[in-house]
Amino acid sequence: MSDTPFRLGFLPLVDSALPILAREFGFAEAEGIDLTLVRDMSWATVNDRLLYGHSDAAHLLAPLAIATTLGLGRPAMPLSVPFVLGLNGNAVTVRGDLAARITTVGGPGDVAAIGQRLAEAARAARDAGKPLRFGVVHRYSSHNYMLRYWLIGSGIDPDREVEIVTVAPPFAADALAEGEVDGICVGEPWNSVAVDRGAGVIVAVTSQIWLRGVEKVLAMRTERMEEQRDTTHRLIRALYRAGQAFVDPARCEEIARVLARSEYLDGSADLIRHAISDRIVFARGAGAMHVPDFMFQHREAANFPWISQAAWLYAQMCLARHVTPDDAAYQTAQRVFRPDVYRAALRPLGVPLPGASSKLEGGIVGGLGVGTTQGRLILGADRFFDARSFDPEALDAYLAGFGDG
C-alpha cells in the first residue's frame, strides 16, 4: 500500500496526543498514511487552515466544529466529527489571592462550595467597579461553556457579574501572570505552567464540573470526509490504537518525552506527565494530587462521537445566546457528530461499538452496561456537578430549567 499524504493541524496541548502518537508510534504508517502534523498557536488559525484546504483534518474544539457548520461569525462550512480525541483535561486557574478566598489552596475541593465562594468574590469585585475577568481559549470552546455552566450553577451571571475574554492557550499563563485576567480556563499543560511559575492556583478541574465532558475532536470538512472515506477510516483506526497506547501506564514516560519535544508542545515533560497520569499540582510547592479521570482519552468509548454530546453543546450555545433555539439548526448541530463513520472504521478491529448514537447525558450514577453492535461495554458515571441531566429529546424543557440563563 502506498502511503497517503495527510495533513492534520493541532495546538500544543496534551490532548493533541493521539494524532502525535499516531505519527510517532507508527500507527498512521501502519495504516498507509503519511501523516504530517501542522502546529499552530490559536484555534482560529487551526480552523482557517482546515476550511481553506491547507490541512485535511484538525485537532479542534468540539463546539467550534458545530459553530463553523452553523455559520456563526463566518460563512457556514459543514464539518464532521467522526472521532473524539478525548474528554476533560482542562482546569480553572486563578490568581493566588483569589484562590485563597475561595478554596483550600493546594488540592481539589468541592466545586459547588468553591463556586459559591467565587460568587461572593465576583459580586464584591463587581460592586467595586472591577469585575473579575476570566480568559477562555475561544468564544466557541468547551472551556467557555464549561466555565459558564459552573458559574451559572454557582449563582453567577456570566454576562453581568464577570467578564469573559479570549486568550490563545499558549498565552493563557502569561495573561494571568501579567494581571490581564483574574483566572483562566484552559487545557494542559498551560494550567500547570501557570502554577509552576507561581502565577496562579488551580481551583477546579473540568472533570469536576462534568465528569465525562466532551473536549477536542477530529474535525474534517464533510465533503472531503465523504470523498475520502477509506483514508478517514484508516486514520480513525490509527488514532484508536494511539488511544490504547496513551492509557498504557508502561508508556507514560515515553509519551511525556515525545509530547514535550519542540515540534509538539515544546514544554516540560514533567508537567505533561502529571496530566497524562492524572496527578495534578494545584499550587506551587504543593505535592501532586491524584485526580481520577482528569484526562479521559480512551476507555469507555471515550472516542465515540455521541450525538447527545453535540446536542448538549448546542444547548450551551443557546444559554450563552450565541444561537437562538431553532429546530433545524439543532438537527444540523447534532449531525456534525458522526458515530456511523466511527463504527464503520472500527468494526474490523472487533472493538466494542455502542449500539445507540445518543444517550441521557449526566444520567449515569454508577457503572452501566450499554447495548453494543459488537463487544461488551460498560460506561462509568458521567454526572454534572449540579446533578442536572440532559435529554437531547427535550431541549426546550432543559433550557426552561435555567430561566433567563
Side-chain angles (χ1 to χ4, degrees), residues 63 66-67 70 72 145 313-323:
I66 295 170
L70 293 177
L72 303 185
Y145 297 126
L313 290 171
Y314 180 85
Q316 306 317 303
M317 291 177 171
C318 293
L319 291 173
R321 299 183 180 86
H322 294 164
V323 295

Side-chain angles (χ1 to χ4, degrees), residues 22-296:
R23 172 182 167 79
E24 292 296 328
F25 288 178
F27 302 123
E29 183 180 8
E31 289 288 345
I33 296 176
D34 180 11
L35 183 59
T36 298
L37 301 177
V38 182
R39 182 176 184 262
D40 278 310
M41 296 298 278
S42 75
W43 290 116
T45 307
V46 171
N47 201 34
D48 283 346
R49 197 182 295 277
L50 176 64
L51 299 187
Y52 297 133
H54 293 255
S55 61
D56 301 297
H59 156 245
L60 199 67
L61 299 159
L64 182 54
I66 295 170
T68 301
T69 300
L70 293 177
L72 303 185
R74 66 184 307 152
M77 170 68 78
L79 297 182
S80 288
V81 169
F83 189 91
V84 172
L85 293 173
L87 310 177
N88 301 325
N90 302 328
V92 179
T93 302
V94 305
R95 65 176 199 266
D97 62 311
L98 177 58
R101 293 169 61 189
I102 65 176
T103 191
T104 300
V105 171
D110 180 345
V111 292
I114 294 168
Q116 291 173 1
R117 291 189 288 270
L118 178 60
E120 297 173 1
R123 291 185 186 110
R126 178 201 59 187
D127 292 345
K130 296 181 179 180
L132 296 179
R133 178 179 293 174
F134 290 90
V136 297
V137 302
H138 195 280
R139 176 180 175 86
Y140 306 121
S141 67
S142 51
H143 313 67
N144 190 19
Y145 297 126
M146 284 281 222
L147 176 64
R148 292 177 63 92
Y149 187 89
W150 182 42
L151 294 177
I152 292 170
S154 301
I156 302 171
D157 186 329
D159 297 311
R160 297 183 179 89
E161 295 184 304
V162 298
E163 296 178 356
I164 299 178
V165 298
T166 299
V167 182
F171 305 117
D174 296 323
L176 188 59
E178 294 296 324
E180 295 175 8
V181 294
D182 302 292
I184 53 176
C185 184
V186 66
E188 282 294 275
W190 302 109
N191 298 284
S192 293
V193 168
V195 168
D196 191 55
R197 293 179 183 174
V201 171
I202 295 174
V203 297
V205 300
T206 51
S207 60
Q208 294 176 295
I209 300 171
W210 182 13
L211 189 55
R212 293 290 185 268
V214 62
E215 188 38 53
K216 307 304 188 307
V217 298
L218 175 72
M220 301 180 68
R221 285 169 293 159
T222 301
E223 182 179 17
R224 192 177 190 107
M225 185 193 72
E226 298 293 359
E227 290 175 349
Q228 300 182 340
R229 274 296 187 105
D230 178 66
T231 302
T232 301
H233 289 177
R234 288 187 278 133
L235 177 64
I236 289 172
R237 288 193 288 268
L239 293 171
Y240 186 87
R241 291 190 172 98
Q244 291 176 311
F246 185 92
V247 299
D248 181 355
R251 306 193 78 163
C252 183
E253 295 285 347
E254 178 187 14
I255 290 170
R257 288 195 300 270
V258 169
L259 297 183
R261 282 164 36 183
S262 60
E263 66 266 40
Y264 297 134
L265 274 63
D266 191 20
S268 164
D270 287 340
L271 297 185
I272 293 167
R273 186 179 66 254
H274 284 159
I276 292 172
S277 59
D278 293 342
R279 295 185 59 80
I280 303 302
V281 176
F282 281 72
R284 190 176 187 181
M289 304 287 291
H290 181 237
V291 181
D293 301 339
F294 173 76
M295 290 197 71
F296 209 81

